[in-house]
Amino acid sequence: MQTVVNNLDWLTAFPDLVGLEPSAKEILLKYARMVEAPIGTVGYREGGPCGAYVMRLAGRSRVFKMSSSGREILLYRVNAGETCVITTTCLLGNSDYPASTVVEEAIKDVIVPSAAFNQLMIDSKVFRTFVMTNYGALISDLIVLLDEVAFHNLDARLAKLLLEAGSDSVKRTHQQIADELGTAREVVSRQVKRFEQKQWVTLGRGQVEILDRAALTKLAQS
């Protein structure tokens, strides 16, 4: 669902934009739109055109790459107060999306059409600085991901994923974990079974219960 933006109260979600120049605020009031979407909505698909800059007010989506065999690898997530690095890349390079995204928690976004985005990048130093600062931070996160995939063992990456879940009860299936790690479900199943044999975790239906965070932390840092 897309609606007109009648005011700029949403700028408080992005403190670096509060000091926008009057002309930049006029552009946002004229062209920005509010978008809401439920869980499961596909935001964009690999190969599709990029038409707008996205600023997340609420909710969460995951950005992923799909192989020709159907295997998915998580690139990153976009949470409230964040922007999407791939969308920024496509707008700056005038290119199509190289990945896909799907909503995990109902989202509320402000979107700025590409023509208005380009005008803001030219006219507004505040907006330009905001975009490039966020872009640089997200690129750094992607480099960390590349480092983990290329140089870290799967068991260490799995341990890190479990630890970062935010709870000792990680409510994810082996397939969901495999998708995030970019590997096969069978590989994940074997590895979490080894963790269980070491009494680091216990397995349940659709979840993994952490028993020994210290052991997982040591492995994740190895």
Side-chain angles (χ1 to χ4, degrees):
M1 181 178 68
Q2 187 174 137
T3 57
V4 174
V5 174
N6 295 316
N7 58 65
L8 297 178
D9 291 346
W10 56 268
L11 282 175
T12 57
F14 304 95
D16 291 342
L17 289 179
V18 173
L20 272 174
E21 303 87 346
S23 59
K25 290 182 178 180
E26 288 181 12
I27 292 174
L28 288 176
L29 278 172
K30 185 175 182 179
Y31 295 106
R33 296 292 182 268
M34 196 79 72
V35 173
E36 297 183 55
I39 294 172
T41 302
V42 175
Y44 53 78
R45 295 185 186 277
E46 183 172 352
C50 179
Y53 185 65
V54 177
M55 292 180 280
R56 176 72 31 87
L57 299 180
R60 185 183 72 208
S61 61
R62 75 175 185 274
V63 180
F64 62 93
K65 186 81 173 176
M66 189 74 75
S67 72
S68 58
S69 64
R71 182 176 298 173
E72 176 185 313
I73 183 169
L74 174 72
L75 298 179
Y76 58 91
R77 286 184 166 88
V78 182
N79 297 290
E82 297 179 346
T83 61
C84 177
V85 64
I86 282 181
T87 298
T88 307
T89 299
C90 292
L91 288 170
L92 294 175
N94 193 29
S95 59
D96 294 334
Y97 285 112
S100 304
T101 187
V102 66
V103 176
E104 292 185 325
E105 293 179 2
I107 62 168
K108 186 175 184 180
D109 294 343
V110 170
I111 62 171
V112 182
S114 57
F117 170 83
N118 291 333
Q119 192 62 50
L120 286 166
M121 288 295 286
I122 294 171
D123 295 347
S124 172
K125 179 181 179 181
V126 174
F127 185 81
R128 185 167 58 250
T129 300
F130 169 80
V131 170
M132 299 312 297
T133 299
N134 279 273
Y135 182 66
L138 289 167
I139 286 293
S140 295
D141 290 342
L142 286 179
I143 291 174
V144 170
L145 172 65
L146 177 62
D147 176 77
E148 290 180 351
V149 172
F151 303 115
H152 290 204
N153 292 331
L154 179 67
D155 57 354
R157 294 174 57 215
L158 174 58
K160 182 179 179 183
L161 184 149
L162 295 175
L163 291 168
E164 292 180 346
S167 169
D168 283 344
S169 293
V170 183
K171 299 185 184 302
R172 296 180 198 173
T173 65
H174 292 184
Q175 185 61 61
Q176 289 171 325
I177 293 173
D179 289 342
E180 294 200 30
L181 294 176
T183 188
R185 179 186 59 78
E186 295 79 7
V187 175
V188 168
S189 296
R190 287 196 298 270
Q191 191 59 62
V192 292
K193 190 65 179 177
R194 293 192 187 102
F195 285 3
E196 185 179 45
Q197 290 168 350
K198 294 179 179 180
Q199 298 184 335
W200 294 353
V201 304
T202 184
L203 306 181
R205 187 175 181 82
Q207 70 176 42
V208 179
E209 188 80 23
I210 297 175
L211 300 179
D212 192 339
R213 296 187 71 88
L216 291 177
T217 300
K218 183 177 180 180
L219 177 59
Q221 294 175 346
S222 63

